[in-house]
Amino acid sequence: AYMFFKRENQTGIVKSPGEDHHVTQGALRIFAVLSVAIAVLLFTGGAIFYHSEQNAYLSELKGVEANTLALKKDAISRALDRATADVLFLSSQNELILHLDTGDQQAAQDMEREYLHLARSRRVYGQIRFLDVRGQELIRVNNQDGRFVAVARNRLQNKRGRYYFQDCVRLERGQIFLSPMDLNVENGKIEDPPNPMLRIGTPVFNSEGSKRGIVLINYSVKGLLERFRQRAPSAKGEISLLNSRGHWLVASDKSKEWGFMFPDRTGVTFAKTYPDEWTKILADTQGQFCSENGLFTFTTENPSAVLQQFSDMVRTSTVPAPAGDQSSPYFWLLVSTVSPDALEQHESATLTRLFVGGCILFVLTAFGAWHLAMAVARRQQYEEQLVEAAMYDTLTGLPNRKLFFDRLESALALAARSEHRLVLLFIDLDGFKTVNDTLGHEAGDELLQRVGAILTGSVRHSDTVARLGGDEFVVILNEVSNVGDAVLVGEKLVSALRAPIPLREGPATIGASIGVSVYPEHGESAEVLIQKADQAMYISKHKGKNTCTMADSSRCADV
């Protein structure tokens, strides 16, 4: 708009300093209104973007944390699957049944070799044992710092007083015993370094169905818990593994772990650190929520459900509680905690990006708004002066509106005296704004000059080509013998303007919508002929542009 009015100002009108001051004052008022509107739009858009960005980030983060817990839960389940499958395999071992039926010592030796082979292949079993119904160990394989050895008979112990034997030997065929996860105790003391342990067992029966003891695996889960501790690259949360009382089995701070095993840590629990969150976590088996302490994602692992895959007779009631811990049912909780600091860090980064981007965008739009305000102010001031501009258009050199009307009136008077036809072609360019927007206003000026030259070169020297303003042109054809000649000229102009026009910035492709009126068929006055041609031109626009239409909606060409 600014460049258009700049062109129109090239009419030679001399401006006084007072006029410049008036333009500036008007532009400032318009600019103030535009600046407020821009600021409101930027703030509104920024707020919408901020909330959208935060919601998208939180949604993505929730998905990552939930997926991380699902993968860790699956790893635990698969580890329990393997250990339980091994216990079931040992309970149905042919050598075991033979030994139980006959007391064959060779079969017992074969069992011992099988235990050693299994322990060496798995490398995560601290002990594999066979105990009789009195709790006496008959076979025992130990893991001694990575070496797997069978314990001599004179060193085998009686375990009838230990909870794991008493609870396991009470089970029926096919039932599986799973102990709570705790630290291994040797000679009444917690093993150093701590060795987290699970005990998995099942009763064994001879071929006649008589219960004759149990097989028991001490599963060292230290490696499993270390893998659980590792954070996924895309995860933001601290991962915790909790027992049903809220004690940490795995924590980012190792000093919080195994509080129920150490007297000085009994009060260090997730439940006491996050009491409100703990209440919500216990209310469901899995879920996600935000609190003042961050984003919490949790899921429940019930070991009994895992063992159910291997025995249809597994019941929650068969899973014992650890000594001194009477929680029931027995389960683990996997919890991810994303701290408020981690959430606020992303929020702060988003706000910073919005502020910087908003400032840059405001400066750029304010620059454009100032030029628009100046253009509007100039237009308001020079609107009346443009009507009185010189007879010729300073950009194209063609007759302007004033001279056009003078020549039209003269041509109509001559046509009336000579009794011949006069043709008026009203031309509006298609695609001119696109050239202005893509190639710039200087290219638009050059294009208008080229269009003027094309129109002038397409008609006779005695005819008139005028520019009414903007991208509107008009042609007066004098002494036309028939309407068909007007049709041919219209088609010729449409074709000429449709071809690519070379410019300094590169070729431009436009078109033209043309309306045609003929004297005296469509009217005898200038006003009627112009109105008819203008109406026909708009019909060309509606038909799809690049079209010439005869007045009274009679179409003469459709290029």
Side-chain angles (χ1 to χ4, degrees):
Y2 169 73
M3 293 302 297
F4 171 75
F5 292 116
K6 183 178 180 181
R7 291 197 302 268
E8 293 300 318
N9 191 46
Q10 295 172 359
T11 54
I13 296 175
V14 179
K15 300 178 292 183
S16 67
E19 290 174 336
D20 279 339
H21 178 73
H22 181 72
V23 169
T24 303
Q25 291 296 319
L28 285 173
R29 289 191 295 270
I30 297 171
F31 178 72
V33 174
L34 290 176
S35 296
V36 172
I38 291 170
V40 171
L41 288 175
L42 288 177
F43 180 81
T44 303
I48 294 172
F49 176 82
Y50 169 76
H51 288 292
S52 176
E53 174 71 11
Q54 286 299 103
N55 290 336
Y57 173 75
L58 187 59
S59 177
E60 180 182 0
L61 183 60
K62 285 181 176 180
V64 169
E65 299 304 315
N67 185 59
T68 298
L69 290 190
L71 292 175
K72 292 185 180 296
K73 180 178 179 179
D74 182 62
I76 293 175
S77 298
R78 284 187 282 109
L80 291 178
D81 286 350
R82 287 192 296 269
T84 306
D86 288 342
V87 167
L88 293 174
F89 164 73
L90 295 178
S91 69
S92 60
Q93 190 181 19
N94 292 332
E95 293 83 356
L96 172 63
I97 304 302
L98 177 61
H99 177 69
L100 295 178
D101 287 344
T102 66
D104 187 344
Q105 292 304 309
Q106 182 60 45
Q109 293 177 9
D110 292 340
M111 290 168 56
E112 187 175 81
R113 283 193 295 270
E114 286 284 348
Y115 287 12
L116 283 168
H117 176 74
L118 180 61
R120 288 167 181 158
S121 63
R122 296 298 190 213
R123 307 198 67 80
V124 292
Y125 296 154
Q127 293 177 351
I128 302 177
R129 289 179 280 180
F130 166 52
L131 300 83
D132 65 18
V133 291
R134 298 183 303 277
Q136 179 62 44
E137 295 176 340
L138 300 181
I139 300 174
R140 175 174 168 181
V141 170
N142 282 352
N143 182 349
Q144 297 180 350
D145 298 325
R147 293 187 308 108
F148 298 93
V149 296
V151 177
R153 287 185 175 278
N154 60 359
R155 295 181 59 191
L156 295 175
Q157 303 174 25
N158 190 288
K159 300 293 184 179
R160 64 176 176 271
R162 301 300 298 271
Y163 79 91
Y164 54 79
F165 171 76
Q166 295 174 0
D167 291 332
C168 186
V169 79
R170 285 199 298 263
L171 301 180
E172 300 299 328
R173 184 190 295 273
Q175 291 185 308
I176 303 296
F177 164 77
L178 177 68
S179 76
M181 189 187 301
D182 56 16
L183 300 179
N184 192 42
V185 177
E186 292 292 342
N187 300 318
K189 294 183 178 180
I190 296 174
E191 190 175 350
D192 189 22
N195 185 15
M197 193 71 64
L198 278 173
R199 296 168 184 84
I200 304 174
T202 189
V204 296
F205 299 80
N206 63 17
S207 59
E208 295 179 355
S210 298
K211 186 183 298 183
R212 299 298 301 277
I214 68 171
V215 290
L216 191 73
I217 290 178
N218 284 19
Y219 179 22
S220 177
V221 294
K222 183 177 182 180
L224 176 64
L225 296 185
E226 286 301 321
R227 291 192 297 274
F228 179 91
R229 190 187 306 276
Q230 296 172 359
R231 181 192 292 178
S234 57
K236 301 292 184 182
E238 298 290 345
I239 304 298
S240 300
L241 181 64
L242 313 171
N243 67 12
S244 54
R245 284 292 184 87
H247 289 99
W248 271 286
L249 305 179
V250 175
S252 57
D253 182 359
K254 290 189 177 183
S255 66
K256 297 179 179 180
E257 297 176 349
W258 309 105
F260 61 93
M261 299 289 294
F262 298 95
D264 60 334
R265 301 185 193 174
T266 53
V268 181
T269 67
F270 184 95
K272 290 184 177 179
T273 305
Y274 304 107
D276 294 336
E277 290 80 2
W278 178 248
T279 300
K280 290 184 179 181
I281 289 173
L282 288 181
D284 207 344
T285 57
Q286 64 179 17
Q288 288 181 313
F289 60 89
C290 288
S291 74
E292 63 181 9
N293 292 313
L295 169 66
F296 290 81
T297 306
F298 67 94
T299 187
T300 304
E301 170 75 341
N302 190 333
S304 297
V306 176
L307 303 185
Q308 187 66 38
Q309 300 175 36
F310 300 92
S311 174
D312 293 335
M313 300 181 65
V314 172
R315 299 191 302 265
T316 304
S317 60
T318 66
V319 181
D325 186 351
Q326 301 302 319
S327 59
S328 179
Y330 173 56
F331 58 87
W332 301 324
L333 284 162
L334 292 75
V335 181
S336 164
T337 306
V338 181
S339 68
D341 290 342
L343 297 175
E344 290 172 2
Q345 184 178 7
H346 180 270
E347 180 180 3
S348 177
T350 302
L351 289 174
T352 300
R353 292 198 306 270
L354 280 174
F355 178 76
V356 173
C359 289
I360 294 174
L361 192 57
F362 180 81
V363 170
L364 293 176
T365 52
F367 180 78
W370 171 251
H371 284 281
L372 179 61
M374 289 293 292
V376 173
R378 285 194 179 97
R379 178 177 180 179
Q380 291 173 345
Q381 182 173 11
Y382 297 133
E383 207 166 39
E384 294 181 359
Q385 294 175 336
L386 289 174
V387 177
E388 301 173 359
M391 301 296 286
Y392 286 90
D393 176 54
T394 57
L395 179 65
T396 62
L398 298 175
N400 66 3
R401 180 183 295 271
K402 185 174 179 13
L403 183 55
F404 159 73
F405 279 105
D406 289 345
R407 289 192 178 181
L408 179 58
E409 292 292 346
S410 298
L412 284 173
L414 179 62
R417 290 194 301 270
S418 305
E419 297 183 352
H420 61 72
R421 291 182 175 85
L422 178 145
V423 175
L424 185 65
L425 294 92
F426 203 101
I427 304 167
D428 187 271
L429 301 183
D430 299 325
F432 174 74
K433 184 178 182 301
T434 301
V435 175
N436 260 351
D437 292 342
T438 57
L439 299 181
H441 291 292
E442 290 185 2
D445 290 345
E446 183 183 1
L447 177 63
L448 292 175
Q449 293 171 342
R450 298 278 182 151
V451 169
I454 291 172
L455 294 177
T456 302
S458 300
V459 298
R460 299 168 300 184
H461 190 69
S462 59
D463 299 327
T464 297
V465 177
R467 179 190 176 208
L468 298 184
D471 58 349
E472 294 181 345
F473 295 82
V474 66
V475 176
I476 303 172
L477 301 180
N478 297 300
E479 298 183 4
V480 177
S481 58
N482 56 67
V483 175
D485 292 338
V487 173
L488 293 176
V489 173
E491 291 177 338
K492 180 180 178 181
L493 295 181
V494 169
S495 298
L497 294 176
R498 187 179 183 183
I501 298 175
L503 303 175
R504 286 189 297 272
E505 295 292 334
T509 300
I510 59 171
S513 297
I514 299 179
V516 181
S517 60
V518 180
Y519 167 88
E521 280 82 350
H522 301 132
E524 298 181 356
S525 67
E527 291 78 8
V528 173
L529 289 174
I530 291 173
Q531 181 182 17
K532 293 285 188 179
D534 184 61
Q535 291 173 350
M537 182 273 291
Y538 277 105
I539 292 174
S540 294
K541 288 280 188 186
H542 292 308
K543 287 179 179 179
K545 305 177 182 179
N546 277 333
T547 303
C548 172
T549 302
M550 183 67 71
D552 295 334
S553 301
S554 175
R555 185 171 181 169
C556 66
D558 188 7
V559 181

